[in-house]
Amino acid sequence: MNRDSRLSSVLHVLLHMAHSDQPLTSGQLASYLSTNPVLVRRVLANLRELGYVSASKGHGGGWVISCDLNEVTLHDIYTAVGAPTVFAMGNRVEHPECLVEQAVNSALNEAFLEAEALLVARLSTISLADLSTDFNRRYIVQHKGHAHV
């Protein structure tokens, strides 16, 4: 099963937008993800409807952040991209007749639900501003002592 990287991808382009002094085109954003601009537009269209980003057409147009980074959490973005399944693991058979497999499923289901709830709750405690601050810290550390930043 492939990993669902929608949340990571969207957060990646949102952070690029947050640190750009000009609108970024779908093509530019797609290049950051090694993907197609059409896919970027499709995902960002949903974020635009929710007020997280906006877009302008024409020369100098593109996508920009239109929300307060302090007010939007990773959970908000997780929900906006469709609340993807957190784990690739699952039960071998969903509705087993075997009592052994029923016991295994019961234990695993409980563990999966607890782990997912913990992760989703943690996403609610991290804002886009927190990501931005972390990026700024990393940028400063990496470029410390370099004449050209």
Side-chain angles (χ1 to χ4, degrees):
M1 177 179 265
N2 292 333
R3 291 183 186 189
D4 187 326
S5 62
R6 286 178 289 173
L7 178 59
S8 177
S9 296
V10 168
L11 292 171
H12 185 148
V13 297
L14 288 174
L15 205 52
H16 273 290
M17 283 188 266
H19 287 273
S20 178
D21 57 355
Q22 61 189 11
L24 297 172
T25 67
S26 298
Q28 289 170 307
L29 295 171
S31 72
Y32 299 143
L33 302 174
S34 300
T35 192
N36 187 307
V38 172
L39 296 175
V40 169
R41 282 191 291 275
R42 191 175 301 149
V43 171
L44 292 181
N46 186 42
L47 296 180
R48 180 179 51 209
E49 290 176 16
L50 295 169
Y52 299 141
V53 299
S54 58
S56 56
K57 296 181 180 184
H59 181 70
W63 295 95
V64 296
I65 293 282
S66 57
C67 63
D68 181 343
L69 298 182
N70 290 296
E71 298 296 321
V72 179
T73 67
L74 273 56
H75 184 269
D76 296 327
I77 304 302
Y78 166 76
T79 302
V81 298
T85 301
V86 174
F87 297 110
M89 290 189 296
N91 296 319
R92 190 179 71 85
V93 177
E94 285 303 318
H95 303 288
E97 292 182 25
C98 175
L99 297 178
V100 169
E101 194 147 30
Q102 289 175 16
V104 168
N105 284 7
S106 177
L108 289 179
N109 286 341
E110 187 174 329
F112 292 152
L113 289 173
E114 287 176 15
E116 185 169 1
L118 182 64
L119 175 65
V120 170
R122 176 73 174 111
L123 293 177
S124 296
T125 69
I126 305 167
S127 70
L128 293 179
D130 294 329
L131 290 184
S132 181
T133 298
D134 185 39
F135 164 75
N136 287 332
R137 182 191 56 77
R138 292 170 189 272
Y139 186 86
I140 289 168
V141 168
Q142 181 175 342
H143 291 90
K144 192 174 190 176
H146 290 88
H148 300 286
V149 178

